[in-house]
């Protein structure tokens, strides 16, 4: 079994409007996932450095970032990053360019966890429904043309407010959604903006949101998680 999670960490700025990377790292450690997809992992302006200093991740967690070879000092690409347990082997990684009016992208990694292979895609889609659908199509097309067909997890902040329309319908043609529940707003969750999806080679055993007291303060999104198993 593999535990995956997704978290829009809002650049480590909490609902108290304070930037506290140590608090965000506490939430990541609470999750205890094997793989975590992060959104808004980097600061927005200037050098766009990682919102969590890399040395804190190295010294105070069992995680390592998937190296994406992007901007020096950044954790991810357009705010998207992947963290994995330190023992996880990164077989390949790739940036997925997405059509957009503002900079958007997705990140992909092929991983080996205790002998099992897993493909992971992390994403943060547009606020516009039209652009979300275009971005979903771009991700799905990229997966279709990529070599191999391993067990695959797609996760991130889809920014989709509808229950089953828009980009959810596009992803749903070939993927199943984990029943993670409502994750936004962290203080009073009313929307399922964050999603975890799997292809037919994975079963979802259980799923949910992580609503600890720290998580409710650390970002305006709650982390979501799913325990999956290869079929």
């Amino acid at each position: 079994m593999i535990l995956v999670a997704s978290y829009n960490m809002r650049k480590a700025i909490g609902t108290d409007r304070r930037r506290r990377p140590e608090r965000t790292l506490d939430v990541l450690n609470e999750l205890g996932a094997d793989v975590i997809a992060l959104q808004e992992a980097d600061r927005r302006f200037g050098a766009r450095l990682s919102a969590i200093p890399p040395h804190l991740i190295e010294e105070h967690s069992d995680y390592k970032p998937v190296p994406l070879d992007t901007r020096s000092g950044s954790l991810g690409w357009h705010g998207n990053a992947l963290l994995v347990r330190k023992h996880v082997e990164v077989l390949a990684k790739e940036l997925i360019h997405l059509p957009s009016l503002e900079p958007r992208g997705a990140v992909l990694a092929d991983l080996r966890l205790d002998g099992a292979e897993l493909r992971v895609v992390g994403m943060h889609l547009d606020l516009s429904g039209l652009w979300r659908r275009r971005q979903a199509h771009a991700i799905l097309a990229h997966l279709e043309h990529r070599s191999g067909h391993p067990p695959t997890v797609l996760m991130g902040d889809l920014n989709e407010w509808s229950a089953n329309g828009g980009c959810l319908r596009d992803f749903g043609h070939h993927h199943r959604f984990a029943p993670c529940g409502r994750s936004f707003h962290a203080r009073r969750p009313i929307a399922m903006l964050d999603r975890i999806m799997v292809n037919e080679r994975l079963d979802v055993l259980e799923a949910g949101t992580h609503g600890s007291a720290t998580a409710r303060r650390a970002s305006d999104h709650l982390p979501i998680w799913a325990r999956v198993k290869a079929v």
Side-chain angles (χ1 to χ4, degrees), residues 118-119 143 148-154 171 174-177 196-204 228-231:
L118 182 71
R119 178 166 290 166
L143 290 174
H149 187 61
T152 301
V153 177
L154 293 77
F171 283 120
H174 301 289
H175 298 83
R176 289 173 289 111
F177 291 86
I196 295 176
M197 304 164 277
V198 300
N199 69 357
E200 75 281 0
R201 297 197 60 188
L202 286 171
D203 275 340
V204 177
V228 301
K229 182 179 181 180
V231 176

Side-chain angles (χ1 to χ4, degrees), residues 39-52:
Q39 302 87 51
E40 299 193 28
D42 297 327
R43 298 194 184 197
R44 184 174 182 181
F45 301 110
R48 298 184 182 178
L49 300 176
S50 171
I52 305 178

Side-chain angles (χ1 to χ4, degrees), residues 18 45 77 106 109 131 162 173 176 179-180 182 188 230-231:
R18 296 181 179 179
F45 301 110
W77 188 58
W131 286 103
S162 68
H173 287 312
R176 289 173 289 111
C180 298
R182 299 171 180 175
R188 186 180 180 185
V231 176

Side-chain angles (χ1 to χ4, degrees), residues 110-215:
D110 288 338
L111 309 171
R112 182 176 288 122
L113 304 87
D114 301 323
E117 291 193 12
L118 182 71
R119 178 166 290 166
V120 178
V121 177
M123 68 189 77
H124 188 183
L125 302 189
D126 206 276
L127 295 172
S128 160
L130 175 62
W131 286 103
R132 279 197 300 274
R133 296 202 65 187
R134 291 175 177 173
Q135 291 160 4
H137 293 163
I139 291 168
L140 293 169
H142 188 91
L143 290 174
E144 183 178 353
H145 290 97
R146 188 173 173 83
S147 62
H149 187 61
T152 301
V153 177
L154 293 77
M155 49 187 174
D157 179 357
L158 272 56
N159 267 320
E160 182 61 70
W161 286 80
S162 68
N164 49 27
C167 69
L168 301 184
R169 184 183 299 114
D170 301 317
F171 283 120
H173 287 312
H174 301 289
H175 298 83
R176 289 173 289 111
F177 291 86
C180 298
R182 299 171 180 175
S183 57
F184 181 86
H185 186 279
R187 286 183 173 175
R188 186 180 180 185
I190 59 171
M192 294 189 291
L193 301 187
D194 305 281
R195 299 279 185 160
I196 295 176
M197 304 164 277
V198 300
N199 69 357
E200 75 281 0
R201 297 197 60 188
L202 286 171
D203 275 340
V204 177
L205 304 181
E206 56 180 335
T209 60
H210 180 73
S212 72
T214 304

Side-chain angles (χ1 to χ4, degrees), residues 23-73:
R23 178 171 58 187
T24 302
L25 193 57
D26 287 343
V27 175
L28 299 178
N29 286 327
E30 288 175 357
L31 284 167
D34 299 297
V35 184
I36 304 177
L38 296 176
Q39 302 87 51
E40 299 193 28
D42 297 327
R43 298 194 184 197
R44 184 174 182 181
F45 301 110
R48 298 184 182 178
L49 300 176
S50 171
I52 305 178
H55 74 88
L56 287 183
I57 299 174
E58 171 66 26
E59 297 168 6
H60 298 287
S61 80
D62 189 36
Y63 293 108
K64 63 181 180 182
V66 171
L68 296 172
D69 304 324
T70 57
R71 188 188 300 267
S72 177

